[in-house]
Amino acid sequence: MQRTPLWMTIVIIIVSLPAFTFPALLDSCPPEAEATRTLVWIYPFYMLLSAWLAWKAYAGRSYVSWMLIGLMILTTITIRMLTEA
């Protein structure tokens, strides 16, 4: 079985770094928006799980990894928009 190349591992790590801004995201949530707070709480777990799945899937199905990376980027943009609106 093939291994995930180092450059792909670095790409996955870079894309998942925004998950570590969780405390700042939680602070910027409006207090009356419970749905937004729930999504922000789920966000870091989703990002870490997606990063792990993208890393594991690259050796066999690289297109699945790229789809997961794209979804991670879109999710990060969406969470930023939710907390700043």
Side-chain angles (χ1 to χ4, degrees):
M1 186 165 181
Q2 296 177 353
R3 295 183 57 171
T4 305
L6 180 63
W7 66 269
M8 187 60 173
T9 303
I10 293 171
V11 168
I12 292 170
I13 289 170
I14 289 171
V15 170
S16 45
L17 281 177
F20 295 104
T21 62
F22 169 70
L25 289 172
L26 200 57
D27 284 342
S28 63
C29 276
E32 67 277 353
E34 287 299 318
T36 303
R37 292 182 74 77
T38 303
L39 290 173
V40 170
W41 270 100
I42 294 171
Y43 172 69
F45 301 110
Y46 163 76
M47 289 292 283
L48 293 176
L49 179 65
S50 292
W52 182 75
L53 289 173
W55 184 75
K56 290 296 274 185
Y58 187 80
R61 296 183 176 158
S62 62
Y63 59 90
V64 173
S65 291
W66 287 112
M67 288 172 46
L68 283 169
I69 289 171
L71 286 173
M72 289 168 63
I73 292 169
L74 290 174
T75 303
T76 299
I77 293 168
T78 304
I79 289 292
R80 297 281 177 186
M81 290 172 64
L82 277 174
T83 56
E84 293 175 3

